[in-house]
Amino acid sequence: MTAPGTPPPLTPDDVRTVGTPVDGRVPDVAPESAWDDRRLHYDLVAPANRRKFTVIVVGTGLAGAGAAAALGELGYQVECFTIHDAPRRAHSVAAQGGINAARARKVDNDSVHRFVKDTVKGGDFRGREADAYRLGQESVRVIDHMNAIGAPFAREYGGALATRSFGGVQVSRTYYTRGQTGQQLQVAGANALLRQVAAGTVTLHTRQEMLDVVVADGRAQGVVVRDLVTGEVRAVTAHAVVLATGGYGNIYCKSTLARNSNATAAWRAHRRGAHFANPAFVQFHPTALPLMSQWQSKTILMSESLRNDGRIWVPVRADDDRAPGDIPEEERDYYLERRYPTFGNLTPRDVASRAARERIDAGYGVGPLKNAVYLDFADAVQRLGRATVVSRYSNLFHMYEQATGDDPLRTPMRIAPGAHFAMGGLWSDYDLMTSVPGLFVGGEVGWGYHGANRLGANSLLSACVDGWFTLPYAVPGYLAPLLGTPRLAADDAAVLDALEAVRARTERLLKNDGTQGPDRFHRRLGEILYRCAGVTRTPEGLAQGIVEIRALREEFWRDVRVLGEGAALNQELERAGRVADYLEMAELLCVDGLDRDESCGAHFRADHQTPDGEALRDDAAWCRVSAWESPAPDAADGRFVRHDEPLTFQAVPLQTRNYA
């Protein structure tokens, strides 16, 4: 019952309207033939004409570095921007466990079609089937290419590249460099980028943050950036813009992402007209370290690869305070092996996270705060020997010991679900172009491959496929009809308007007469999201989240305090701008979760579950992408507009996920 005088909870109709559908422009052929068909029909730019085009690439992770290097190698003039002091510092370094590829070099019955089946099923049938095929088909080239440019993949005794398994699959298709795969791939990609910088085809701009997109004549023609050292705000124009700026997991404040990771570039592009797809689809990694203090600034990621040899368990008895070594085998609940015997500890991330959260909430959590489960390597050490286990995961064990003071080979690791990867992102068509012509996306800032749950080791793959083998086809296909079109003039009205918008927002933050720093608001926002839009959601919780986020956003603009000046290094200003964007994006995240009246993948609604607690989809109503348009700041009703893209499945028919 609602208390007297309390307004009724928000409903989807209170916060959104439904607009016209969007077209993903997938070729009208069988999904396994779509990529070959599209490449055949792309317009081409002759080698002599490529230097006449300028392309902006924002971000230097695997997707951004790959796209910039590949376009530069082809002969285009590339302006590449990064917030980091060097391209290799991009957050792709943090993906530790491996990169998938359907090369089928082991005789375990893997194939491109099996890769697609695993990816589509793992995403709970909420991604594009044709995109998943492109991912699998190009995965073979990715491994060969990254190996050729210097990634030191692990090898078998005879010299063949080694593989291991990851969650949601029953084959061995994950290539790795111990627990440093992202770092080693990033080094190789950054070196390829710097090769083009030396060749003069790429101009690299470090310590530059993109704060707006210049849209003129209905297409993206530049960006506005702020020099993070000097504070200078300037515009750079081009014939096309590629955003490869990562995901928005840090909206939860305490996430596995680096503190500097943010969603400002994507959100500012959204505010310029780029639809945002499925913002509620956020993955909680089951192998993060639990929070040990409310003042902890972030969580730490332990690679999913550890689940190959580690066994996850909790005590059979609730509130068991005994040390793990004192709990006998018969009093341990290996709950993933019990509930999902076919996949065991390698269930997909959303399934493993929900199961861990359920055990913790039911009183079986372990550790000082009772907020974790155990990941135990004792059986692996006994079976394989300590040296073999250490050779596979040495740096991960070292990182865990540095963070906690415990040796994970003597005492089981303590792990818990933590906000991690964003399956949602800027909506794009099959060519990775957003609803703003000329604005492309690559990597986690996009949405298409992973549906409602990403399988482990598909993130590095999707970034590499986008950067090296999709954008270098799609961007020239867009540019070809623009041959002879000059770059937008620096004094064009659209450029001046974008510059003024950035300066006005900066001044508003600096002149606000508040009392609280931006980090306090970010922490409070994270608490709201974990509570209202976490591993498990309810319509009542999501509605309450919208109300609380709106109130927090109003308080932010009334009471935020930003010290320092704009024309200088000012990290407080950077954080304030990013938190302001999160406070807008968070409302849309909850709106999307409230609107999507089903459970699917990582979007688990407690009111839509099977009798045994699994996600219950509604394919009749929700087999589609939600591509959102935000209301204008001065809109009368302030409601978001949802544009739908229907999803179809031919090669992998719709089915109920079952990992038991």
Side-chain angles (χ1 to χ4, degrees):
M1 293 289 292
T2 302
T6 302
L10 294 171
T11 69
D13 289 335
D14 295 325
V15 293
R16 65 97 178 98
T17 60
V18 178
T20 56
V22 291
D23 183 4
R25 298 183 63 248
V26 178
D28 189 18
V29 297
E32 60 267 30
S33 302
W35 185 225
D36 287 339
D37 181 84
R38 180 51 53 87
R39 285 187 300 171
L40 179 63
H41 292 96
Y42 275 132
D43 291 336
L44 302 178
V45 179
N49 287 329
R50 293 171 189 168
R51 60 180 176 271
K52 300 175 183 178
F53 289 107
T54 299
V55 180
I56 289 172
V57 177
V58 184
T60 58
L62 283 177
L71 290 168
E73 184 80 36
L74 288 170
Y76 297 93
Q77 296 298 310
V78 180
E79 302 282 342
C80 187
F81 296 85
T82 176
I83 62 172
H84 302 290
D85 54 6
R88 64 171 290 176
R89 295 291 299 276
H91 196 54
S92 296
V93 300
Q96 304 154 331
I99 176 171
N100 287 334
R103 300 169 86 236
R105 299 301 168 90
K106 283 184 178 287
V107 187
D108 59 359
N109 202 18
D110 198 11
S111 65
V112 169
H113 181 78
R114 192 170 294 278
F115 172 94
V116 172
K117 181 179 179 180
D118 289 341
T119 299
V120 170
K121 177 184 173 184
D124 217 356
F125 296 88
R126 292 298 178 261
R128 281 201 200 106
E129 188 178 53
D131 286 33
Y133 260 106
R134 178 172 64 204
L135 193 66
Q137 290 161 348
E138 292 292 9
S139 68
V140 178
R141 285 210 289 174
V142 164
I143 300 301
D144 291 339
H145 175 72
M146 298 310 293
N147 185 42
I149 64 173
F153 289 113
R155 295 179 181 271
E156 306 286 1
Y157 176 77
L161 299 185
T163 58
R164 56 191 176 199
S165 296
F166 255 63
V169 305
Q170 294 176 296
V171 296
S172 181
R173 68 164 68 106
T174 305
Y175 295 78
Y176 64 97
T177 64
R178 290 196 178 181
Q180 306 173 13
T181 312
Q183 179 178 342
Q184 298 299 335
L185 294 181
Q186 179 63 35
V187 168
N191 285 342
L193 171 62
L194 293 176
R195 178 176 178 270
Q196 294 306 309
V197 173
T201 61
V202 176
T203 301
L204 180 63
H205 307 270
T206 59
R207 305 184 185 94
Q208 307 276 321
E209 182 169 26
M210 193 206 98
L211 296 179
D212 210 343
V213 178
V214 177
V215 179
D217 300 324
R219 55 190 177 91
Q221 298 197 56
V223 297
V224 176
V225 296
R226 179 178 181 270
D227 188 308
L228 298 180
V229 177
T230 68
E232 178 192 6
V233 175
R234 63 191 178 97
V236 180
T237 61
H239 295 93
V241 177
V242 175
L243 294 187
T245 52
Y248 52 91
N250 255 352
I251 196 171
Y252 285 79
C253 188
K254 292 179 174 65
S255 79
T256 64
L257 279 68
R259 292 292 293 167
N260 216 26
S261 298
N262 65 88
T264 282
W267 190 250
R268 302 292 172 88
H270 172 66
R271 280 302 195 180
R272 286 291 180 182
H275 296 336
F276 212 102
N278 300 333
F281 288 178
V282 178
Q283 183 174 86
F284 292 81
H285 201 294
T287 322
L289 299 193
L291 291 175
M292 302 175 189
S293 165
Q294 63 172 319
W295 303 112
Q296 189 172 322
S297 64
K298 68 182 300 295
T299 57
I300 298 173
L301 176 65
M302 291 286 107
S303 169
E304 182 180 305
S305 62
L306 294 168
R307 293 199 276 147
N308 273 277
D309 291 309
R311 300 180 70 191
I312 297 173
W313 63 276
V314 294
V316 169
R317 190 178 73 206
D319 296 318
D320 195 328
D321 290 326
R322 289 177 291 175
D326 295 336
I327 301 176
E329 188 71 15
E330 62 272 16
E331 295 183 35
R332 300 180 179 188
D333 179 14
Y334 295 93
Y335 58 88
L336 289 178
E337 299 173 29
R338 170 173 56 83
R339 293 182 60 181
Y340 310 100
T342 301
F343 285 76
N345 295 294
L346 287 176
T347 56
R349 291 177 178 177
D350 62 319
V351 176
S353 288
R354 282 198 299 276
R357 188 78 263 157
E358 185 275 329
R359 290 289 80 191
I360 293 169
D361 291 345
Y364 297 90
V366 301
L369 300 182
K370 302 292 185 182
N371 62 346
V373 299
Y374 288 129
L375 179 62
D376 196 335
F377 294 89
D379 284 358
V381 170
Q382 183 177 7
R383 185 179 72 254
L384 302 170
R386 183 184 178 101
T388 297
V389 175
V390 169
S391 72
R392 294 176 178 178
Y393 312 110
S394 57
N395 65 300
L396 298 173
F397 291 157
H398 178 71
M399 183 167 65
Y400 181 86
E401 188 168 4
Q402 289 289 311
T404 67
D406 291 335
D407 179 355
L409 292 176
R410 296 181 182 274
T411 304
M413 285 185 176
R414 295 191 304 274
I415 58 172
H420 177 56
F421 186 90
M423 284 78 65
L426 292 179
W427 179 88
S428 59
D429 63 17
Y430 186 69
D431 299 323
L432 300 183
M433 188 161 70
T434 70
S435 52
V436 177
L439 179 64
F440 294 82
V441 293
E444 192 180 349
V445 74
W447 76 276
Y449 300 111
H450 310 301
N453 174 66
R454 175 177 63 77
L455 292 185
N458 268 358
S459 60
L460 293 177
L461 175 62
S462 57
C464 288
V465 167
D466 285 352
W468 288 105
F469 298 117
T470 305
L471 291 166
Y473 290 109
V475 173
Y478 166 79
L479 293 175
L482 298 177
L483 184 63
T485 303
R487 289 169 60 178
L488 192 66
D491 60 353
D492 187 270
V495 175
L496 299 179
D497 287 347
L499 281 168
E500 179 55 32
V502 168
R503 288 170 178 150
R505 186 181 179 89
T506 301
E507 284 300 306
R508 183 182 178 189
L509 288 169
L510 289 169
K511 292 182 177 180
N512 206 61
D513 187 22
T515 63
Q516 302 182 65
D519 286 345
R520 291 192 178 187
F521 290 96
H522 194 188
R523 187 180 301 115
R524 291 165 61 190
L525 175 63
E527 291 169 355
I528 294 171
L529 288 176
Y530 264 108
R531 174 166 41 85
C532 298
V535 174
T536 299
R537 292 103 183 253
T538 65
E540 297 80 13
L542 291 160
Q544 181 62 27
I546 294 170
V547 173
E548 293 185 28
I549 290 165
R550 288 174 176 174
L552 184 62
R553 187 169 64 240
E554 291 178 5
E555 183 184 348
F556 172 88
W557 286 110
R558 184 175 65 250
D559 199 37
V560 71
R561 178 185 63 193
V562 180
L563 301 177
E565 301 176 351
L569 174 68
N570 190 338
Q571 292 184 313
E572 196 79 347
L573 176 61
E574 297 168 33
R575 287 194 290 267
R578 295 166 187 173
V579 172
D581 292 328
Y582 281 143
L583 286 165
E584 294 181 5
M585 180 186 293
E587 181 179 350
L588 178 56
L589 189 158
C590 290
V591 166
D592 184 45
L594 179 64
D595 184 54
R596 183 169 285 272
D597 192 20
E598 67 162 354
S599 288
C600 58
H603 172 60
F604 186 77
R605 287 264 298 255
D607 53 329
H608 294 289
Q609 57 181 303
T610 64
D612 54 354
E614 302 298 335
L616 184 61
R617 297 195 319 261
D618 182 353
D619 293 329
W622 290 101
C623 192
R624 60 194 186 200
V625 182
S626 296
W628 291 94
E629 178 184 348
S630 285
D634 57 351
D637 63 4
R639 289 192 290 177
F640 297 86
V641 180
R642 191 191 77 217
H643 302 273
D644 295 326
E645 179 193 341
L647 296 171
T648 59
F649 298 93
Q650 301 176 35
V652 188
L654 285 164
Q655 57 193 267
T656 300
R657 287 203 307 171
N658 182 6
Y659 293 97

